[in-house]
Amino acid sequence: MLRDAHDARRQGSDVVVGFVETYGRTDTDAQVGDLEVVPRCSIEYRGVVLEEMDIDAILRRGPQICVVDELAHSNVPGSRHEKRYQDVLELLDSGIGVMTAVNIQHLETLNDAVGRATGVRVRETLPDTFLDRADEVVNVDVTVEELRSRLRQGKVYKAEKVEQALANFFREGNLSTLRELALRAVADEVGEKAASYRQREGLEPALIPERVMVCMSSAAQAPRVLRTGARIAGRLGARWYAVYVETPREAPGRIESADREALARNLDLAEGLGATVVRVKADRPADGLIAFAKREGITHVIFGQSARSRVEILWKGSTLNRFLEEVRDAAVQVVPFDQ
């Protein structure tokens, strides 16, 4: 990223560094070199003064390009935006180009996959739709052994953190998985941009446009289903819908407060992941889902695994079974919930 920034400046662009985290590494300081660095702002939080990127100073400076590191970073409470990627969006909206970087484990739709593969739940994420704003996405890749070697040399973390990192998140198996995820994510992004280009130019349009529907609910496990749907839609280059069926039991005046709050969080996540959120009313979930799928020509459907017992399913019927009986032309995937 810093090398590209120097190249851009040599080609005549006005480039500044908005935020680069060096962690005290002299090699990173050396890479910044003589690039103009915008001073950071100081924010006091719980008796400690912390530094954040000064977005107002960057806007006043008004460069052509700003370098911003640690894209998924959570800003100190009291900052204008909760997340650094939101700072970047403001810079972009003001006409300032941004060079930035993010680790693959911070993409929202990969959160479940990373957690299962590494045993670590990554808390700082950003929506994959952020990448849609990028003119170019570049995969910065090294071999697993080279990255572990850089860790041992103190080029990633300070010396006191190295052994702990090597024994935990930076194990060989974890790094191999993350490397594969990064390659797949970049391939998906390239494929989506190529599909958009073909559509704009009128080249080889799909004979049957793919449409993805995620069956949403107020369940705490719904985020995993939404992330799965977003990944599938991304690979297909398809529009996708997050469909919530409001039954009489979950009408505004009757829904439990905990379910209402969970539903609001799930709806926000769906929008952040790029879904078209749809709320329909029906006496039973299956009725609303079937009607929507038929009306919109849905080709792929993602359900979450039912939490109901076998006895309940036999007594009241299964939403999934009814859907399969009524909608014959859609591929259906069921996402298992963690026990």
Side-chain angles (χ1 to χ4, degrees):
M1 180 174 63
L2 288 169
R3 185 182 303 166
D4 291 338
H6 283 286
D7 290 342
R9 196 181 69 163
R10 281 193 290 269
Q11 294 169 15
S13 296
D14 178 23
V15 182
V16 303
V17 174
F19 194 100
V20 169
E21 184 58 78
T22 66
Y23 295 108
R25 301 185 301 251
T26 56
D27 60 331
T28 304
D29 285 323
Q31 288 180 49
V32 173
D34 59 354
L35 289 172
E36 178 185 345
V37 179
V38 177
R40 303 176 184 180
C41 63
S42 298
I43 301 175
E44 184 175 347
Y45 178 64
R46 294 183 175 177
V48 179
V49 177
L50 302 169
E51 291 186 335
E52 290 289 5
M53 184 172 72
D54 193 336
I55 186 170
D56 288 316
I58 297 169
L59 292 170
R60 287 194 298 270
R61 171 65 174 75
Q64 289 177 285
I65 299 172
C66 182
V67 178
V68 180
D69 195 14
E70 303 264 341
L71 185 60
H73 168 78
S74 296
N75 291 330
V76 175
S79 303
R80 177 146 81 242
H81 299 125
E82 181 183 355
K83 298 283 190 176
R84 184 165 292 156
Y85 79 83
Q86 295 169 322
D87 294 335
V88 169
L89 288 173
E90 184 171 345
L91 295 179
L92 293 172
D93 290 340
S94 73
I96 297 173
V98 176
M99 291 183 178
T100 188
V102 65
N103 291 330
I104 190 64
Q105 63 264 28
H106 295 294
L107 290 184
E108 177 65 42
T109 61
L110 294 175
N111 195 253
D112 296 311
V114 171
R116 290 195 302 273
T118 67
V120 177
R121 177 62 67 177
V122 176
R123 301 299 176 187
E124 292 185 320
T125 62
L126 73 154
D128 295 44
T129 49
F130 182 91
L131 298 182
D132 295 340
R133 293 286 297 267
D135 295 320
E136 184 177 13
V137 177
V138 178
N139 183 39
V140 181
D141 190 24
V142 295
T143 65
V144 170
E145 188 48 51
E146 183 177 350
L147 178 53
R148 286 170 59 86
S149 176
R150 287 176 59 81
L151 268 167
R152 295 187 188 96
Q153 296 166 22
K155 294 182 177 181
V156 179
Y157 293 134
K158 291 182 179 180
E160 59 268 24
K161 292 186 176 181
V162 169
E163 289 306 318
Q164 181 183 4
L166 287 170
N168 292 284
F169 195 77
F170 286 82
R171 298 193 304 271
E172 289 188 21
N174 288 355
L175 293 178
S176 295
T177 299
L178 293 174
R179 191 181 185 201
E180 179 184 358
L181 289 174
L183 291 169
R184 289 178 180 273
V186 173
D188 290 344
E189 186 68 18
V190 171
E192 288 177 31
K193 290 188 182 301
S196 297
Y197 172 80
R198 290 196 300 270
Q199 185 177 17
R200 287 197 307 271
E201 299 297 319
L203 302 174
E204 300 180 6
L207 295 177
I208 303 176
E210 304 282 4
R211 293 193 174 190
V212 177
M213 179 178 80
V214 176
C215 306
M216 250 190 71
S217 71
S218 56
Q221 299 91 341
R224 183 173 182 183
V225 184
L226 289 167
R227 294 184 189 111
T228 300
R231 295 302 301 172
I232 290 173
R235 287 173 181 159
L236 294 171
R239 184 175 182 180
W240 70 288
Y241 304 87
V243 181
Y244 167 68
V245 180
E246 180 188 300
T247 62
R249 181 166 162 263
E250 290 198 336
R254 300 183 63 185
I255 187 171
E256 298 287 339
S257 59
D259 291 338
R260 182 172 59 251
E261 292 170 4
L263 177 61
R265 289 193 298 271
N266 295 341
L267 291 171
D268 287 343
L269 175 60
E271 290 181 348
L273 293 174
T276 298
V277 176
V278 179
R279 299 179 71 142
V280 299
K281 293 183 179 181
D283 290 336
R284 294 180 296 178
D287 296 335
L289 295 173
I290 291 168
F292 182 85
K294 289 182 174 180
R295 183 174 70 247
E296 297 296 329
I298 296 298
T299 59
H300 290 72
V301 184
I302 296 89
F303 281 90
Q305 184 181 41
S306 176
R308 295 162 61 192
S309 68
R310 291 178 181 270
V311 173
E312 288 179 303
I313 291 173
L314 288 171
W315 180 254
K316 297 182 179 180
S318 162
T319 297
L320 175 59
N321 288 344
R322 268 209 62 210
F323 189 93
L324 291 172
E325 290 173 1
E326 296 282 342
V327 182
R328 305 277 181 152
D329 299 326
V332 175
Q333 178 172 335
V334 179
V335 178
F337 292 154
D338 294 327
Q339 298 299 318

